[in-house]
Amino acid sequence: MSPAGKNKPQKKDSKASGPRLTPMLAQYLEIKSQHPGSLLLFRMGDFFETFFEDAQTLSKVAGVTLTSRDAKSEHPVPLAGVPHHAIDTYLTRLLRAGITVAICEQVEDPAKAQGLVKRAVVEVISPGTATAPELVDSPTGHFCLAWAPGSNQMDGWALLDASTGEFRCGQEQATLESLCQRHAVREVIVRESTEPSTLKQWQAAMPQMVINPVNDAWFHPAFARQTLLDHFEVANLTAFGLEDETRTPAAIAAGSVLRYLGSLILKKPEQVTTLRFSSRADRLILDEETLRNLEIFRTFRGETGEGTLIHHIDNTLTAMGRRLLELRLAEALTDLDQIALWHSGIDSALSDRPWREDLRVVLRSVGDLERLSARAASGRIGPLGLKHVGDSLAALHALQVLAPSNGHQKHPIASWLESVDSFHELATIIQQRIAEDAPATTRKPGFIATGVNADLDQCRTIAQDSKGFLAGLQLQEREQTGISTLKVGFNRVFGYYFEVTKKHLDKVPEHYQQKQTLVNACRFHTEELKQAETTILEAEEKADRLETEIFQEMLTLVTSHLANIHAACLKVARVDLMLAFAETAEKNQYCRPVCDDGLVLNIQGGRHPVVEQLLEHDFIGNDTLADGADNQVLVLTGPNMGGKSTYLRQVALITLLAQAGSFVPAESAHIGITDRIFTRVGASDNLARGESTFYMEMSETANILHQMSRRSLVILDEIGRGTSTYDGLSLAWAITEFLNNPEGPRPRSIFATHYHQLTELENDLQGLVNLRLEVKEWEGKIIFLHSVKPGRSDKSYGIHVARLAGLPENVLSRAQEILSCLSSSDQRDLPSMRPVSSHPTAQPTIPDAGQLSLFRESQRDALDALNDLDLEKISPMDAFMWLAKIKKQLEK
Ligand code: ADP
């Protein structure tokens, strides 16, 4: 929950025994009481002030000095303030700390106010709904997520990025954490009535996340629906795929998050122009754990950048393309036609490099049009920003012209761009009207170009001429008065004046009227100066007004095109991503995969897209054949450091990349479409996360076993390792059998394990295939060949790896001795690794007598005797005697 949520209004206390209640403080408390969950920034002149707990928070979070009002009184009021022009810096710090901020402005001119200046909250900004460039980490998405748990485990969710207007919703059986992990979520809203224990759990699982419980009414189905109908001005929700009653959870989430945004900005969120319903069925969704294990967006250590998949394959040039890439990796495609369209688009882009490069040159100028235009629609943009909108629209037009050239009329890129409006005219208007050297804010005049408006030009000429006239006047007055240092000056309070130093005061003519006295000089005006001043100020004022009007007109124009601009942005994102995939394919030597609806996964010379970039030596490509039939469960053994994890992950990543629409790091790849990729990594590999208990590992594995389908790809790395050897082995064994169960879904699975005993299952389980990572032993050392071969690894080489890691030689030789001892006793004591059954529900078979047995001879004799005992015939006394005999026998 937002720390600001703890900021209780001080009204009652302060009245009862608290500080002196001035009218201003009373006004503050009144406004604060309407925004109890926000930190209130209260405008006072050139400052935003905070009081009481808010002041303490501001001081702590943003490093602002904490002072107090009425310091000497019994009840000083804690106070901290920041200059209004520096507000963005402090806002950023507050929002990053998860605090929601209410901005309270003076809403009347203080000069004209009678008594206390009127103040009102003009906007509330929460961490997930910020839009200003300083507050939004470009180019990643910045989502506020509404979570609406529904019945039948169909939970509704909606994601809204206020900075771009991107608005999506869906419903599925998922966890809140998995949604947050999948998307760049900065804030979550849930029903106010959510159980405190549930809130606590979420907060514990995601300590950095701002989770705000909000008005339950917003989540009411009818209210949420009405919010959507009103916003989009439609009679029903058919256009968004939400009219069907079964989609109610998604509609609730969408309505509530939109209502939430509206309640913060206190006006209609104009930037939100459409809503998309995403259906889980047509996407390959990676769950939270898989995203983490495959290091898609963050490394195991939680870092972004190097080591993550996205970092090493991202060649997008626009923020929109980058965001689409993020979405594609979190939710890849499953529709074969779509996937084929992307692959063939990349293929032909690769065959025409000049065309591709020309397009990419233009793409660089597109900027973050989605965010910029959203900002323009919400009025939060300056002249420079609007100029970028114009330039981006012009670049979009250039792309549209360029795309079909060189015979590419049928290329997906040309078709996408052809299907969107041309904004050539709008671009020209903006480019012509905004001055070349446009300033960032409208506070600085001169942002409208010359030649746009005759009145404006005239005003500027008058102001300019008058300034020339003033320069002439200064010369003239110097000559006439003989005061060589006389100069014309200007300030906001007194306007234009002649300034004369004290030394020359005796020369000041009589018609000079004194305006102001300074330590060393006096300031005067004359009728002539006043007249010039009036002319200049009037002309400047009018010019300001005209500039603002023209600027506003352009904002209105952009707003009226916003829905179409956003539709075009989606296409630009695709263009950028397709060309970026081509770029990555060329640079990293990826191949075009073949995807179909079979179950065969056949990769030749596959590589890990990240590890291959980070290695100093060559990456060894490896083959994979998994088909849900004869090669259904691949059991991979090999020493530590052999390359098992790398291999497992590369198979998952190649599959993901292919379905994301990209080429893949392999010599060839045939990929039968997957619906889910599940990965689990054994407990001890994940210790960095600090939560890798054996329980977690098992519950995640349980989740896979429940959810997997025939089309899934299951990747297990050292599952079962987090417990004792026998426990772990038994679990790994049973899990393998379950994956292979002839009556189960039999998903394509790869299981890397240290339990070499598992490899014996190959003889008994149909479809189980052993693979090993090849190593060479040479002069007592091992060389990792990183090459995956059929068969099983006969040794663990743990001691060799320990040697590589620098363990002292005497420790190593002692370990070798112990190992030899253990290995021979192993032969006696370990249970047979025959499968209990290929059917997990069948009774386990007793190990073969000839096989290695769990029981010693005496134990077996005892068991046999027990078996022969006829309980019908034996008396209690005989039974007791019999038990005593057996016990004695066993004790021997
Ligand atoms: P394991 O899981 O068997 O302990 P890893 O997959 O972590 O081994 O690999 C260990 C290291 O070996 C990697 O960090 C990488 O440097 C190297 N490696 C793995 N696979 C390959 C490969 N196919 N080609 C080249 N080097 C590899």
Side-chain angles (χ1 to χ4, degrees):
M1 269 138 287
S2 138
K6 293 171 205 140
N7 283 331
K8 299 260 161 17
Q10 309 280 317
K11 196 170 180 180
K12 276 190 191 136
D13 283 358
S14 29
K15 260 188 183 168
S17 61
R20 194 166 55 87
L21 205 59
T22 60
M24 191 281 300
L25 211 48
Q27 185 190 39
Y28 168 83
L29 290 171
E30 178 58 35
I31 297 174
K32 173 75 192 176
S33 70
Q34 292 154 15
H35 297 275
S38 311
L39 186 143
L40 186 70
L41 289 176
F42 191 72
R43 181 72 180 261
M44 293 177 71
D46 284 343
F47 276 78
F48 277 107
E49 299 289 1
T50 54
F51 302 97
F52 303 107
E53 266 187 50
D54 281 357
Q56 279 154 356
T57 309
L58 180 69
S59 160
K60 205 158 71 199
V61 174
V64 178
T65 312
L66 184 67
T67 58
S68 54
R69 245 178 124 85
D70 288 345
K72 292 202 179 104
S73 77
E74 198 186 334
H75 297 287
V77 177
L79 166 83
V82 294
H84 80 101
H85 57 80
I87 181 76
D88 283 342
T89 315
Y90 296 99
L91 263 180
T92 312
R93 289 183 201 166
L94 290 168
L95 291 168
R96 293 228 166 104
I99 295 170
T100 297
V101 182
I103 313 244
C104 175
E105 283 283 5
Q106 296 173 166
V107 290
E108 66 175 341
D109 186 347
K112 294 180 190 147
Q114 302 210 330
L116 195 60
V117 176
K118 272 202 197 108
R119 292 183 172 88
V121 167
V122 292
E123 187 179 15
V124 182
I125 309 174
S126 73
T129 59
T131 56
E134 309 75 29
L135 306 176
V136 178
D137 303 333
S138 199
T140 305
H142 195 101
F143 288 108
C144 182
L145 168 79
W147 176 242
S151 50
N152 300 331
Q153 296 185 313
M154 240 338 148
D155 302 317
W157 55 264
L159 288 162
L160 176 54
D161 184 338
S163 69
T164 59
E166 161 113 48
F167 192 20
R168 276 184 279 139
C169 67
Q171 55 192 43
E172 59 194 71
Q173 194 185 343
T175 61
L176 180 58
E177 290 97 309
S178 68
L179 278 163
C180 292
Q181 182 87 20
R182 226 154 72 196
H183 305 283
V185 175
R186 308 303 158 112
E187 180 179 357
V188 175
I189 60 159
V190 292
R191 288 191 180 92
E192 205 165 28
S193 58
T194 307
E195 283 292 322
S197 57
T198 311
L199 280 176
K200 236 182 175 170
Q201 263 172 17
W202 285 333
Q203 203 67 81
M206 302 179 288
Q208 303 298 325
M209 187 59 71
V210 179
I211 304 175
N212 274 327
V214 300
N215 199 337
D216 271 11
W218 298 351
F219 287 83
H220 187 280
F223 193 103
R225 180 182 156 83
Q226 199 56 46
T227 305
L228 295 172
L229 294 178
D230 291 348
H231 179 85
F232 293 111
E233 296 172 13
V234 287
N236 60 53
L237 299 176
T238 312
F240 310 110
L242 292 176
E243 192 56 24
D244 192 319
E245 232 175 76
T246 56
R247 301 261 166 98
T248 303
I252 291 178
S256 59
V257 74
L258 193 62
R259 183 72 188 78
Y260 175 62
L261 179 61
S263 79
L264 297 182
I265 62 173
L266 305 172
K267 58 181 181 184
K268 183 173 173 179
E270 294 286 358
Q271 69 271 41
V272 181
T273 55
T274 190
L275 166 63
R276 273 174 300 146
F277 176 82
S278 323
S279 145
R280 180 154 204 156
D282 52 24
R283 290 168 301 150
L284 162 63
I285 292 182
L286 298 191
D287 59 46
E288 181 192 359
E289 193 59 27
T290 302
L291 284 172
R292 199 160 22 210
N293 288 336
L294 296 180
E295 303 187 286
I296 306 281
F297 301 123
R298 288 180 181 273
T299 62
F300 274 138
R301 281 187 222 96
E303 287 153 5
T304 52
E306 187 163 285
T308 62
L309 176 71
I310 194 157
H311 176 80
H312 292 276
I313 61 157
D314 181 14
N315 277 302
T316 58
L317 295 170
T318 70
M320 298 169 290
R322 161 79 187 202
R323 287 194 288 270
L324 180 61
L325 174 61
E326 286 174 7
L327 182 64
R328 274 293 170 81
L329 294 180
E331 300 179 358
L333 307 168
T334 50
D335 182 291
L336 278 175
D337 293 340
Q338 282 275 329
I339 297 172
L341 178 92
W342 275 74
H343 292 156
S344 73
I346 295 170
D347 216 1
S348 42
L350 279 169
S351 66
D352 190 347
R353 185 193 261 222
W355 175 72
R356 190 156 47 94
E357 282 177 354
D358 286 350
L359 285 169
R360 277 173 62 88
V361 167
V362 182
L363 269 174
R364 284 180 201 278
S365 325
V366 176
D368 194 348
L369 181 58
E370 197 177 21
R371 220 164 240 173
L372 284 167
S373 54
R375 240 172 243 154
S378 57
R380 296 183 132 262
I381 199 165
L384 187 60
L386 190 58
K387 183 173 181 310
H388 287 152
V389 173
D391 294 346
S392 303
L393 289 172
L396 172 60
H397 177 71
L399 274 183
Q400 286 176 302
V401 173
L402 203 57
S405 63
N406 283 17
H408 289 288
Q409 296 86 340
K410 296 243 163 72
H411 194 278
I413 287 183
S415 321
W416 290 331
L417 290 172
E418 199 192 350
S419 70
V420 295
D421 286 4
S422 164
F423 300 100
H424 184 48
E425 208 177 310
L426 180 59
T428 314
I429 293 176
I430 298 174
Q431 285 184 318
Q432 282 176 351
R433 292 190 186 174
I434 297 275
E436 197 48 46
D437 53 351
T441 81
T442 48
R443 284 197 295 271
K444 206 165 163 221
F447 49 87
I448 299 295
T450 314
V452 173
N453 179 298
D455 277 357
L456 174 62
D457 292 348
Q458 197 188 10
C459 292
R460 283 179 178 159
T461 315
I462 294 171
Q464 209 56 43
D465 286 355
S466 307
K467 280 186 182 158
F469 168 79
L470 286 180
L473 192 65
Q474 177 173 292
L475 268 180
Q476 175 196 309
E477 291 298 309
R478 278 183 186 174
E479 270 172 25
Q480 284 181 0
T481 56
I483 308 170
S484 59
T485 54
L486 178 144
K487 57 180 186 206
V488 175
F490 175 81
N491 73 23
R492 277 168 184 249
V493 184
F494 295 105
Y496 285 94
Y497 51 76
F498 291 130
E499 187 170 294
V500 179
T501 50
K502 290 236 160 118
K503 195 167 129 201
H504 298 291
L505 282 182
D506 54 333
K507 295 184 209 151
V508 170
E510 265 185 19
H511 67 280
Y512 272 40
Q513 298 157 28
Q514 190 155 345
K515 270 177 144 180
Q516 195 187 6
T517 310
L518 307 174
V519 184
N520 284 325
C522 282
R523 289 171 173 174
F524 303 89
H525 60 188
T526 63
E527 282 312 312
E528 211 174 356
L529 188 58
K530 261 198 218 162
Q531 240 172 32
E533 176 185 292
T534 314
T535 316
I536 294 173
L537 292 184
E538 273 177 10
E540 282 181 348
E541 222 166 80
K542 187 167 173 197
D544 279 355
R545 208 183 58 239
L546 286 170
E547 283 205 289
T548 310
E549 269 172 29
I550 297 167
F551 190 72
Q552 284 303 331
E553 247 171 49
M554 284 189 281
L555 293 191
T556 313
L557 202 58
V558 174
T559 311
S560 69
H561 285 87
L562 192 67
N564 292 342
I565 295 178
H566 275 177
C569 287
L570 290 179
K571 304 290 163 69
V572 173
R574 286 190 207 166
V575 173
D576 186 16
L577 184 59
M578 185 172 271
L579 293 172
F581 277 157
E583 198 69 13
T584 312
E586 190 177 72
K587 272 193 200 156
N588 303 353
Q589 296 175 344
Y590 285 6
C591 76
R592 176 178 177 174
V594 177
C595 293
D596 62 18
D597 58 5
L599 290 173
V600 176
L601 182 65
N602 189 351
I603 301 168
Q604 300 293 312
R607 310 181 311 266
H608 189 297
V610 176
V611 175
E612 74 163 340
Q613 299 290 319
L614 297 175
L615 283 184
E616 278 168 14
H617 52 89
D618 282 349
F619 190 94
I620 313 296
N622 279 308
D623 303 343
T624 308
L625 175 63
D627 55 12
D630 290 346
N631 300 276
Q632 186 244 324
V633 178
L634 312 183
V635 172
L636 179 64
T637 45
N640 271 323
M641 294 295 287
K644 295 186 297 300
S645 305
T646 308
Y647 179 75
L648 291 182
R649 288 175 173 82
Q650 88 188 26
V651 175
L653 290 172
I654 288 172
T655 307
L656 172 67
L657 282 174
Q659 292 192 217
S662 164
F663 278 18
V664 298
E667 281 157 20
S668 75
H670 180 132
I671 286 162
I673 293 296
T674 56
D675 61 351
R676 301 280 297 264
I677 298 178
F678 293 104
T679 68
R680 286 304 172 269
V681 174
S684 45
D685 259 12
N686 243 351
L687 280 178
R689 266 169 52 201
E691 53 177 32
S692 319
T693 61
F694 177 67
Y695 173 80
M696 290 271 303
E697 177 192 329
M698 283 300 121
S699 78
E700 287 162 9
T701 309
N703 188 34
I704 300 180
L705 300 184
H706 287 305
Q707 295 196 36
M708 66 193 188
S709 83
R710 211 165 114 78
R711 291 226 150 265
S712 306
L713 174 63
V714 177
I715 302 280
L716 302 175
D717 195 355
E718 303 285 2
I719 291 297
R721 170 156 107 168
T723 183
S724 75
T725 311
Y726 281 169
D727 275 1
L729 172 56
S730 317
L731 285 164
W733 185 355
I735 290 167
T736 312
E737 283 180 354
F738 191 90
L739 289 169
N740 181 257
N741 181 1
E743 284 161 33
R746 289 172 62 91
R748 289 157 288 178
S749 318
I750 315 182
F751 194 161
T753 182
H754 259 92
Y755 298 122
H756 290 200
Q757 296 89 335
L758 278 193
T759 56
E760 292 189 19
L761 291 174
E762 191 180 39
N763 304 327
D764 299 275
L765 298 187
Q766 151 70 15
L768 187 136
V769 174
N770 286 330
L771 297 176
R772 68 190 164 87
L773 272 144
E774 213 181 3
V775 285
K776 247 193 186 160
E777 262 184 274
W778 186 68
E779 292 184 354
K781 296 190 182 130
I782 50 166
I783 302 164
F784 300 112
L785 299 179
H786 301 305
S787 164
V788 176
K789 295 276 181 236
R792 57 190 185 174
S793 175
D794 42 6
K795 280 206 235 164
S796 307
Y797 297 99
I799 294 177
H800 296 78
V801 176
R803 174 169 286 117
L804 284 182
L807 225 61
E809 200 50 50
N810 48 358
V811 174
L812 294 169
S813 52
R814 176 67 185 140
Q816 189 61 55
E817 273 171 40
I818 298 172
L819 177 67
S820 312
C821 248
L822 284 177
S823 305
S824 48
S825 64
D826 222 20
Q827 298 301 307
R828 275 182 280 110
D829 288 349
L830 274 182
S832 154
M833 281 306 116
R834 276 284 157 93
V836 286
S837 161
S838 55
H839 193 302
T841 52
Q843 290 298 311
T845 52
I846 304 244
D848 278 13
Q851 290 279 326
L852 310 164
S853 164
L854 258 182
F855 303 104
R856 301 221 168 90
E857 214 169 308
S858 54
Q859 294 168 321
R860 224 173 13 233
D861 288 347
L863 278 176
D864 288 344
L866 180 61
N867 219 12
D868 293 342
L869 205 64
D870 188 346
L871 291 176
E872 298 287 323
K873 293 190 182 147
I874 197 163
S875 73
M877 195 53 191
D878 286 349
F880 180 79
M881 297 298 286
W882 186 87
L883 271 179
K885 188 179 115 201
I886 294 285
K887 190 159 186 297
K888 214 166 183 184
Q889 195 175 318
L890 285 176
E891 275 166 7
K892 273 191 214 155

